[in-house]
Amino acid sequence: MPTDPRTDHRADSRSPWRVRDFRTLFTATTLSQLGTNVGYVAMPLVAVAALGAGPGQAGALATLSTLAFLLIGLPAGAWVDRMRHRRVLIGADLARALLCASVPLAWWLDALTLGQLYVVVLLTGCATVFFDVGSQSVLPQLVGRDALVGANAAVVSLQAAGNVAGRGLGGGLVQLLTAPVAVLCTALAHLASALWLIALRGGTAPGPVATRTSLRARIAEGLRHVLGNAELRALALTASLTNLGSQIVNTLLPVLFVRELRLPASVLGLYWAAGGLGLLLGARCARPLAARFGHGRTLALAGPVLAPAALLVPLIGRGPWLWLAGAGWALTMFKTGMDNVLGVSLRQGMTPDALLGRMNATFRFMLTGALAVGAALSGLLGEVAGVRPALWTGGALLAMAFLPVLLSPVRRRRTLPGERRAPATPAPSRRTG
């Protein structure tokens, strides 16, 4: 393998912050995450508040936002393994910026319809497929495998901070400036991310090209790698159940807050921000807990300790019930933050570079497929049984999602594959997020 100046620091440090390209990627992802989380609040509120969408239409909108992973998720992994990651990331951000900008433009022209929103969220989801797969695939190449836990802790902490700042800001922007103007902020954030990624020096070379290997064969290889391994399969199942439950809950929260509880959009943003705070704390605690108790044991035992808190979420209401449900959601997201750091690091550590795109695409296919199913199911349950029974269904799924990992060989794993054991005298801790 040719020498690359970006890897000079990998041998002497496990901190990803020493790698310039990681700092560049992290900054661009900060901008993109901020925009994504503002849009997470604003887009469904455009549908509900500006266009009068009901539970079924809100569920359809959420389904379309994740449907792209079912449509192109698996081939995207094979494509990304052959493409220059830097171009993939920049192109995806530019596409998301243009698509989101079309919403406020149509609103100002008094031409915005639910049909346009459906198209925008579907195509934005397609761009997100490539951005997510590309960013997770390039990360091990930028920082080296010994720094994966630190790098993923930083990225998940960023995602959690984006949930706190972006969703809280999104709710405030919707209340102050209207939902379509908040969507414009999402477009500007993605544009800024694309411009920042121009400085990325890594991810400029395409992956190795296998001789006459069909797309179907490459996809099948990625599927076998994930589903044929007991640890990776358990991680995928637990994460899929988590996404299924959380999507059922999140899809109906705008309907519950705006129509039934008659609370302002800023309160919904703050509720989601509380979950983001839990996600952030979980991501920050993942690394020290794994160092003390073992990587797999931490993943396995967090479930029975924290997952039952999800059953507090369906109790959401006014006054103290809002605080109680918010605390349950924060604890649920605390576990998710730990799972994201340790689970993503484990699956990256168990995968060779040539399979990273397909492995990540397989996970994203399953995880985001669960989001699509959850969104559709939430709309159906909301229309047929009501919002509360749908919330109880989501809470129950979240409460039992940990079982595949708890019952798998993951619980016996102490370190990542290929990870050097910590020295007898611990090195001084470094910031990872």
Side-chain angles (χ1 to χ4, degrees), residues 55-129:
Q57 291 165 317
L61 187 70
T63 301
L64 288 170
S65 69
T66 55
L67 187 61
F69 280 89
L70 293 177
L71 297 177
I72 65 170
L74 292 177
W79 292 328
V80 167
D81 278 337
R82 302 291 186 88
M83 299 167 72
R84 292 171 171 84
H85 294 139
R86 176 173 171 269
R87 291 184 181 179
V88 171
L89 298 176
I90 293 173
D93 259 335
L94 288 176
R96 292 190 289 185
L98 289 172
L99 288 164
C100 291
S102 73
V103 173
L105 178 61
W107 178 68
W108 286 325
L109 296 174
D110 197 25
L112 183 63
T113 64
L114 273 173
Q116 179 182 342
L117 280 186
Y118 290 156
V119 172
V120 167
V121 297
L122 176 61
L123 295 181
T124 301
C126 291
T128 300
V129 170

Side-chain angles (χ1 to χ4, degrees), residues 369-392:
L371 292 178
V373 173
L377 184 59
S378 69
L380 178 63
L381 289 173
E383 291 285 357
V384 174
V387 172
R388 293 289 178 177
L391 291 178
W392 279 107

Side-chain angles (χ1 to χ4, degrees), residues 55 199 280 290:
L280 174 62

Side-chain angles (χ1 to χ4, degrees), residues 49-355:
L51 298 176
Q57 291 165 317
L61 187 70
T63 301
L64 288 170
S65 69
T66 55
L67 187 61
F69 280 89
L70 293 177
L71 297 177
I72 65 170
L74 292 177
W79 292 328
V80 167
D81 278 337
R82 302 291 186 88
M83 299 167 72
R84 292 171 171 84
H85 294 139
R86 176 173 171 269
R87 291 184 181 179
V88 171
L89 298 176
I90 293 173
D93 259 335
L94 288 176
R96 292 190 289 185
L98 289 172
L99 288 164
C100 291
S102 73
V103 173
L105 178 61
W107 178 68
W108 286 325
L109 296 174
D110 197 25
L112 183 63
T113 64
L114 273 173
Q116 179 182 342
L117 280 186
Y118 290 156
V119 172
V120 167
V121 297
L122 176 61
L123 295 181
T124 301
C126 291
T128 300
V129 170
F130 284 94
F131 190 91
D132 286 358
V133 173
S135 61
Q136 288 190 345
S137 299
V138 78
L139 189 60
Q141 301 171 25
L142 297 183
V143 304
R145 294 179 182 270
D146 276 347
L148 274 179
V149 175
N152 282 312
V155 172
V156 175
S157 296
L158 167 63
Q159 292 170 348
N163 286 352
V164 176
R167 295 183 186 183
L169 177 62
L173 287 174
V174 169
Q175 190 165 338
L176 291 174
L177 303 175
T178 73
V181 176
V183 176
L184 177 61
C185 296
T186 293
L188 294 175
H190 285 306
L191 177 61
S193 174
L195 295 175
W196 196 271
L197 284 167
I198 294 173
L200 190 68
R201 295 180 298 183
T204 58
V209 179
T211 305
R212 297 187 180 279
T213 304
S214 69
L215 178 63
R216 179 179 297 180
R218 297 199 304 272
I219 292 173
E221 187 179 5
L223 285 168
R224 285 194 301 271
H225 175 67
V226 173
L227 300 179
N229 182 288
E231 292 179 87
L232 293 178
R233 184 170 62 247
L235 291 173
L237 289 174
T238 283
S240 296
L241 287 172
T242 298
N243 279 8
L244 181 63
S246 63
Q247 186 73 340
I248 291 174
V249 171
N250 284 327
T251 298
L252 292 177
L253 283 182
V255 178
L256 178 67
F257 271 74
V258 174
R259 290 196 169 184
E260 294 194 10
L261 299 179
R262 300 189 181 279
L263 293 170
S266 58
V267 177
L268 174 60
L270 289 173
Y271 183 87
W272 271 329
L277 181 60
L279 195 71
L280 174 62
L281 293 175
R284 301 302 299 164
C285 292
R287 192 178 183 184
L289 287 174
R292 179 169 183 177
F293 299 110
H295 198 98
R297 187 179 301 172
T298 302
L299 268 171
L301 295 183
V305 173
L306 297 171
L311 296 176
L312 296 174
V313 173
L315 300 175
I316 190 169
R318 286 180 170 271
W321 294 107
L322 179 62
W323 291 95
L324 182 65
W329 187 243
L331 288 172
T332 301
M333 291 298 100
F334 181 92
K335 176 189 176 295
T336 301
M338 292 180 56
D339 287 353
N340 286 350
V341 171
L342 301 180
V344 171
S345 299
L346 178 54
R347 75 195 205 207
Q348 288 172 336
M350 297 180 69
T351 303
D353 286 349
L355 274 170

